[in-house]
Amino acid sequence: MPPQSKKMKQRENAVVEELTALYQNKLLPIEKKYLYHKFHAPEILPSELSAKPQILLLGQYSTGKTSFIRKLIGCDYPGIHIGPEPTTDKFVAVCHGDAGKVIKGNAVTAVSDLPFAGLTAFGGFLNKFEAALTDSPVLKDVTIIDTPGVLSGEKQRLSRGYDFAETSRWFAERSDLILLLFDSYKLDISDEFKGVIENLKGHDDKVHCVLNKADALDPESLMKVYGALLWSMAKIMKGAEVPRVYCGSFKDDTLLRDDFEALFQKDSEALMSHLAELPKLCGMRKINEMVKRIRLNIANYCLVTYLKSQMPMLWGHEAKQKYLMDNLDDVYKKVAYQYNLSDADFPNIEEFRGKLQKTMFSTFPKPDRATLTVMSDMLSTDIPQIFKSIAGVTSTSEREKNAKDDDEDGEGDQNLKAMMNFDLNTLNHYKEDDNTASIVSALVFVFMVVLLAFLFKGGHLDAWVKLVIEMKQRLLTPTTATAEPSL
C-alpha cells in the first residue's frame, strides 16, 4: 500500500480541522439540545474525525477473517489464533505500533491517538475489546477491525454480554470499508448474520463481499455458489445492485486447484487496489458521513418538535402520547410532507419508537427558528466550502482559461447541493407558521390572565372553578340511553 503524499496529508488535515470546527461549534450544541445522542448515535470525538481509514471485517465463524488479516498485513499480530472452531471471541483493532503489544479495552479508550474513546458508551463491551499493535507497513495508513464470528440462535443474543449488532453498527459508521466474508462451503446466511447485515443500512456504499476458500470448488460449483451469494445479498439489502464480490483463497497455503488462479489473482489485485485508494478517499468519506449526520439531525429536529407541538397544554398527555406512538407511521408521513424531507433521512421507525417510550414528549424542547437556519447553512454553505478543497473539481478560473462554457460554472457545487436536496423555502414557510402560532398562544395567555383577574376581583373565582369541575365531570361521565315510554 503506497504511502500518502505530503500534499495529500495536508489536504486531509485541513479537512479534519474544518469538519471538527463545524461539528463542535455548530452541530454538537443542536444534538445536545434536541436529544440526538439519546435517540440515534453518541457524540463524535475529535480523535474519530482525525482517525486513519478503517476496515471492518464481519462474517460467520470460521470464514477466514483472521487469516485474511494476516494475508493482508503480511505477518501475525499479538493474540492471533486461527482454527476451524470459533477462535476470535472479541473485537480486535489491529493497529500500527510497537510489535507484540496488546492494549485492553478500557485502556484503549484512554489512548488519544486511537479513535475508540466513544466506545465507553457501550459499558461492558470494553471487556471484549482490545487493540493489537504490530509494525506492519500496511497499518501505517489503515486500521483493521477483526470481529468475532456471528453465532446462531440464542447464543448470539445472550452469550455475548453486549449488543453485537449495535456495536457493529458503531464501527460501521466510522469505517471506510466493510468486508463481509463468506465461506464457499458454508454459504447459508443465518438469521443473526442477516440481522447484522440489515443493520448496516445507510452504509451500502462501503459494503463489499469476499467469497473465501473458493479454491476447493470446481468451475460448476463456483458458478452456483457465486450466483447464490449475489441472490442472497440482493434479497437482504433490498437493492437493485449488489455489493462487489471478490473470489479467492486468502491464506498462506498454495491453492488446492489451479483452475481459477488467473481469476483469483485478478480479484485479489482489484481488492488490494481498492484498499490502496482508501487513504486518498478518507477525507471525502468523512464529509459524506457529516452530511448524513446533518440530514439525520434535521429529521430528528422536525420529529421532536412536531411531537412536542401535538401535546395538549393541560391534561391528557399520556393518552395523546400513546396515540402518537401507535401512529408513528403517520407522524413520519406528515413530517416528511410538511418539511419536504426524504424517507431516507428518517431513522429506523421501530428503533425510534422503542427509544421514544422512555421519554415524555411534553419535556421535548420547543422549535427554534435559528436551529433550522444553522443546519440549512451547514448544508448549503459550510459543507460545499470544505468539499472544494478535496473535490478535484476544476475551478472557475481554470475553466475560463480553458475557454469552457459559462454554463458549467459551479457545476460541482450544484451537484453537491443536489445530493443534499433540502427545501429551505419550505422550512422558511413553516418558520413563519411557528411564529404565528407563538403570537396566538401569547394572546390566549394574556386573555386568560385578564379573565382570571376579573373573576378574582369580582369574587366569582370560586363559583367559576366549581362550574369548570362540574362541566368536566359531566363530560367524563358516560351517558346512558333512556328507554322510550311505551304507548
Side-chain angles (χ1 to χ4, degrees):
M1 188 174 294
Q4 285 182 280
S5 65
K6 184 177 181 180
K7 187 176 181 180
M8 187 187 302
K9 288 184 178 180
Q10 289 176 346
R11 288 182 178 178
E12 176 74 19
N13 293 336
V15 168
V16 168
E17 290 177 2
E18 293 178 6
L19 284 178
T20 302
L22 177 67
Y23 180 75
Q24 293 287 335
N25 299 331
K26 294 186 177 182
L27 191 58
L28 182 57
I30 296 174
E31 291 185 348
K32 291 180 178 179
K33 181 177 180 180
Y34 290 95
L35 311 177
Y36 181 91
H37 302 151
K38 179 176 183 178
F39 294 140
H40 307 293
E43 174 185 347
I44 299 178
L45 302 176
S47 60
E48 297 173 16
L49 286 173
S50 61
K52 293 183 291 187
Q54 191 167 277
I55 304 171
L56 175 65
L57 273 66
L58 292 170
Q60 300 179 123
Y61 75 90
S62 193
T63 54
K65 297 185 295 296
T66 305
S67 299
F68 178 87
I69 295 176
R70 183 170 67 177
K71 178 79 171 180
L72 178 62
I73 65 177
C75 63
D76 290 343
Y77 61 83
I80 187 173
H81 177 52
I82 298 173
E85 75 282 3
T87 54
T88 304
D89 63 345
K90 60 186 67 177
F91 280 72
V92 180
V94 186
C95 312
H96 188 268
D98 295 337
K101 288 189 177 181
V102 175
I103 307 176
K104 297 300 181 181
N106 288 282
V108 171
T109 60
V111 180
S112 59
D113 293 333
L114 296 177
F116 304 117
L119 288 171
T120 53
F122 294 94
F125 164 73
L126 294 178
N127 296 323
K128 293 291 186 178
F129 175 64
E130 65 184 24
L133 306 183
T134 183
D135 58 357
S136 169
V138 175
L139 297 174
K140 290 182 178 180
D141 293 320
V142 297
T143 298
I144 304 174
I145 308 297
D146 192 10
T147 61
V150 179
L151 303 176
S152 59
E154 290 297 298
K155 292 183 290 184
Q156 172 71 12
R157 186 172 62 86
L158 301 177
S159 301
R160 296 290 190 190
Y162 60 90
D163 191 331
F164 183 89
E166 192 68 23
T167 306
S168 299
R169 183 163 64 177
W170 186 93
F171 281 103
E173 290 173 352
R174 290 153 180 80
S175 296
D176 296 74
L177 177 65
I178 303 170
L179 292 178
L180 305 179
L181 270 76
F182 297 90
D183 187 336
S184 58
Y185 275 90
K186 296 184 294 185
L187 194 58
D188 182 52
I189 301 177
S190 65
D191 292 339
E192 292 72 25
F193 191 32
K194 178 182 176 182
V196 172
I197 298 174
E198 291 175 340
N199 219 27
L200 300 177
K201 181 181 179 182
H203 307 286
D204 305 24
D205 56 320
K206 304 178 186 178
V207 177
H208 292 248
C209 298
V210 175
L211 183 59
N212 200 14
K213 306 179 183 179
D215 58 333
L217 299 175
D218 58 68
E220 182 180 355
S221 298
L222 178 59
M223 181 180 64
K224 291 180 179 178
V225 170
Y226 186 86
L229 177 57
L230 291 178
W231 182 85
S232 299
M233 291 301 300
K235 187 176 180 181
I236 294 173
M237 303 192 78
K238 298 179 176 64
E241 298 181 359
V242 296
R244 170 71 187 270
V245 177
Y246 302 96
C247 295
S249 181
F250 296 91
K251 57 184 180 180
D252 295 331
D253 300 336
T254 57
L255 297 178
L256 297 178
R257 300 171 63 101
D258 56 4
D259 305 36
F260 310 110
E261 184 174 358
L263 172 64
F264 292 170
Q265 182 64 26
K266 183 178 179 180
D267 275 12
S268 177
E269 291 175 356
L271 176 58
M272 296 308 164
S273 176
H274 185 69
L275 296 179
E277 291 292 319
L278 292 181
K280 301 177 184 178
L281 302 175
C282 186
M284 192 76 72
R285 194 271 304 173
K286 290 174 181 177
I287 293 176
N288 188 52
E289 292 298 321
M290 188 61 70
V291 170
K292 289 182 184 178
R293 194 174 181 102
I294 295 172
R295 294 185 67 86
L296 183 55
N297 265 282
I298 292 174
N300 177 70
Y301 167 89
C302 296
L303 287 169
V304 167
T305 54
Y306 178 84
L307 293 173
K308 170 72 174 180
S309 68
Q310 298 302 302
M311 298 303 291
M313 294 182 61
L314 299 177
W315 53 72
H317 290 179
E318 293 184 2
K320 185 63 176 180
Q321 179 162 330
K322 184 178 185 303
Y323 173 82
L324 291 171
M325 291 280 290
D326 294 341
N327 297 274
L328 199 57
D329 293 349
D330 294 335
V331 171
Y332 270 43
K333 294 177 182 178
K334 290 178 181 178
V335 172
Y337 176 78
Q338 180 176 345
Y339 290 96
N340 195 26
L341 298 177
S342 168
D343 292 341
D345 295 333
F346 286 91
N348 180 279
I349 190 167
E350 295 304 327
E351 292 181 4
F352 192 54
R353 179 184 280 117
K355 293 176 181 177
L356 283 175
Q357 291 177 348
K358 305 174 184 178
T359 311
M360 292 297 297
F361 295 175
S362 57
T363 63
F364 287 166
K366 297 180 179 179
D368 180 14
R369 178 176 182 176
T371 299
L372 280 175
T373 302
V374 169
M375 290 192 286
S376 62
D377 286 346
M378 281 191 281
L379 288 177
S380 61
T381 305
D382 296 328
I383 291 295
Q385 192 65 34
I386 299 173
F387 182 78
K388 282 182 180 179
S389 62
I390 61 170
V393 179
T394 306
S395 65
T396 304
S397 59
E398 290 175 343
R399 282 197 294 267
E400 290 175 351
K401 289 179 182 179
N402 295 329
K404 295 290 185 179
D405 293 336
D406 292 338
D407 294 340
E408 296 181 359
D409 290 349
E411 182 179 353
D413 292 344
Q414 291 172 4
N415 290 339
L416 181 65
K417 291 178 181 178
M419 178 184 72
M420 302 180 299
N421 179 30
F422 190 67
D423 194 337
L424 303 182
N425 294 327
T426 303
L427 289 182
N428 291 331
H429 169 70
Y430 287 104
K431 290 173 191 173
E432 294 174 0
D433 288 350
D434 291 341
N435 290 338
T436 303
S438 300
I439 294 172
V440 172
S441 299
L443 291 174
V444 171
F445 177 75
V446 171
F447 174 76
M448 293 296 295
V449 170
V450 173
L451 178 61
L452 289 174
F454 172 76
L455 292 172
F456 181 78
K457 184 176 180 180
H460 304 294
L461 183 61
D462 292 340
W464 183 78
V465 171
K466 292 179 180 179
L467 178 62
V468 171
I469 295 174
E470 183 179 351
M471 291 177 63
K472 181 180 178 183
Q473 290 176 347
R474 288 181 180 181
L475 291 172
L476 296 176
T477 303
T479 58
T480 56
T482 58
E484 294 184 359
S486 58
L487 297 176

